[in-house]
Amino acid sequence: MAQGLIEVERKFLPGPGTEERLQELGGTLEYRVTFRDTYYDTPELSLMQADHWLRRREDSGWELKCPGAAGVLGPHTEYKELTAEPTIVAQLCKVLRADGLGAGDVAAVLGPLGLQEVASFV
């Protein structure tokens, strides 16, 4: 049986004084990463209501997060991450019930699918 990689993401909220405490323990900042994520959806937020998240990461490309466990309703803790643009377009068309757009790049279907920027974070 083939085994793939599983990404586990956990977010931490450091408390006051965490940076100073790490420095006291000998920790140093090796590098800082800054990026911009821009999220797209319909004006009615159809993707988000279907628990799908389309984003473009600056200098990285498109990603669509989709629910990972079939048949589970509500917010998910497990997602499939699609990064191949034809696969993203196919899933967008399925979720938004739009046929006939074909497979192509994501930017080309934003307008026809009624997708627009809804949030941008740095």
Side-chain angles (χ1 to χ4, degrees), residues 10-112:
R10 177 135 188 212
K11 305 214 186 301
F12 295 91
L13 184 61
T18 300
E19 186 175 351
E20 292 80 10
R21 182 65 180 135
L22 289 171
Q23 289 172 351
E24 289 171 7
L25 295 170
T28 59
L29 177 64
E30 291 188 23
Y31 60 90
R32 182 179 308 271
V33 177
T34 303
F35 54 87
R36 175 180 297 277
D37 282 344
T38 304
Y39 287 82
Y40 292 81
D41 207 334
T42 65
E44 302 80 23
L45 304 178
S46 301
L47 291 176
M48 291 179 191
Q49 289 183 44
D51 205 16
H52 284 66
W53 308 87
L54 176 64
R55 78 169 181 211
R56 183 168 193 322
R57 178 161 287 170
E58 189 175 68
D59 298 326
S60 181
W62 292 96
E63 178 181 87
L64 179 64
K65 288 190 176 186
C66 311
V72 177
L73 300 175
H76 290 77
T77 57
E78 181 183 328
Y79 289 88
K80 294 183 293 184
E81 296 179 352
L82 308 178
T83 56
E85 291 199 38
T87 307
I88 292 172
V89 170
Q91 183 67 20
L92 289 172
C93 290
K94 179 179 175 185
V95 172
L96 298 174
R97 296 181 179 94
D99 296 324
L101 289 178
D105 67 355
V106 176
V109 299
L110 292 178

